[in-house]
Amino acid sequence: MSNKYWPLADLKLTTERLELRVPNEEELVALAEIAAKGVHEPGQKPFLTPWTDLPANKRALYVMQQHWGRRSTWRIESWALEFGVFLGSQPVGIATLKAQNFAVLREVKTESWLGLEFHRQGIGTEARKAILTLAFEELGADSALTEVFQDNAGSQGVSRRLGYVHDGISRDVLDGHVVISDRLRLDSSNWIPEAETAPVISGLNQARPWFGI
């Protein structure tokens, strides 16, 4: 049954291996448990938000609270769409598409994490392509941005392979130290859709007004 009050619940992106969808509560718990097991190698700090340093149970709770928070504060002027990423029926991580004043700026940002056991399998690239297809091909985005620590070779590589180019840096504080991120941009003019592997997008029509389009 479709959800007329929260049509985003019916939005689904299906790729060759993956399904991206807004998780229900049971699926959100499963995703939180994946995060609890670890999302990067010990000693690494690939995210500005220090949630990966939390104890496993608190890391799981953070995942759930962030998801609930983003749902509850959704506005046309400011939204963050968190997709659960599923490999078959197996939850593997979360991929997020977010924007501020999208109806005017036509600019999105992406972020994601995968359970450590699912790294280096091309899953992150496949999931990013799917949400970029949604952004460029269906929502009419002009550009997509991401920020990546300069020493995060994995995320840097995913972005470069997809055509992102350097667009400056940002300086932040993490654990009392300055950290520098590369700001990367992919414009729609440089986006190359892959017809053979394009995701099947379903459930979007009812959700379009929620993006301000």
Side-chain angles (χ1 to χ4, degrees), residues 170-204:
S170 61
R171 300 174 75 246
D172 297 283
V173 176
L174 178 62
D175 293 341
H177 301 282
V178 173
V179 290
I180 300 176
S181 298
D182 285 325
R183 187 170 62 248
L184 305 173
R185 176 184 293 272
L186 176 61
D187 291 328
S188 58
S189 58
N190 294 322
W191 162 249
I192 302 175
E194 299 178 4
E196 301 83 8
T197 58
V200 175
I201 299 175
S202 60
L204 178 59

Side-chain angles (χ1 to χ4, degrees), residues 2 45 72 92 127 143 154 156 159 168 186 196 211:
S2 62
K45 294 184 178 181
S72 67
V92 299
S143 58
Q156 288 269 0
S159 297
L186 176 61
E196 301 83 8
F211 299 99

Side-chain angles (χ1 to χ4, degrees), residues 108-145:
V108 297
K109 292 184 178 180
T110 63
E111 58 186 41
S112 64
W113 60 263
L114 294 174
L116 182 57
E117 62 187 293
F118 304 105
H119 288 199
R120 299 181 181 87
Q121 300 177 37
I123 294 173
T125 300
E126 192 169 329
R128 179 93 70 92
K129 285 182 179 179
I131 60 175
L132 289 175
T133 299
L134 172 65
F136 287 125
E137 303 295 323
E138 299 293 342
L139 303 182
D142 290 332
S143 58
L145 300 176

Side-chain angles (χ1 to χ4, degrees), residues 51-170:
W51 67 284
T52 54
D53 288 336
L54 295 174
N57 63 324
K58 291 186 177 180
R59 183 161 58 249
L61 179 60
Y62 181 97
V63 169
M64 299 179 70
Q65 288 179 320
Q66 177 171 264
H67 186 78
W68 294 330
R70 285 175 161 174
R71 282 196 188 194
S72 67
T73 58
W74 186 290
R75 295 181 296 116
I76 288 177
E77 299 81 10
S78 177
W79 48 262
L81 177 58
E82 283 199 348
F83 287 108
V85 181
F86 298 85
L87 179 63
S89 61
Q90 170 67 57
V92 299
I94 284 179
T96 303
L97 185 72
K98 59 184 183 178
Q100 298 284 331
N101 297 306
F102 179 75
V104 179
L105 296 175
R106 296 287 171 165
E107 187 173 271
V108 297
K109 292 184 178 180
T110 63
E111 58 186 41
S112 64
W113 60 263
L114 294 174
L116 182 57
E117 62 187 293
F118 304 105
H119 288 199
R120 299 181 181 87
Q121 300 177 37
I123 294 173
T125 300
E126 192 169 329
R128 179 93 70 92
K129 285 182 179 179
I131 60 175
L132 289 175
T133 299
L134 172 65
F136 287 125
E137 303 295 323
E138 299 293 342
L139 303 182
D142 290 332
S143 58
L145 300 176
T146 190
E147 292 192 4
V148 185
F149 285 167
Q150 291 182 329
D151 61 356
N152 189 337
S155 291
Q156 288 269 0
V158 169
S159 297
R160 304 290 185 182
R161 285 192 295 275
L162 291 175
Y164 286 76
V165 297
H166 192 259
D167 190 48
I169 65 168
S170 61

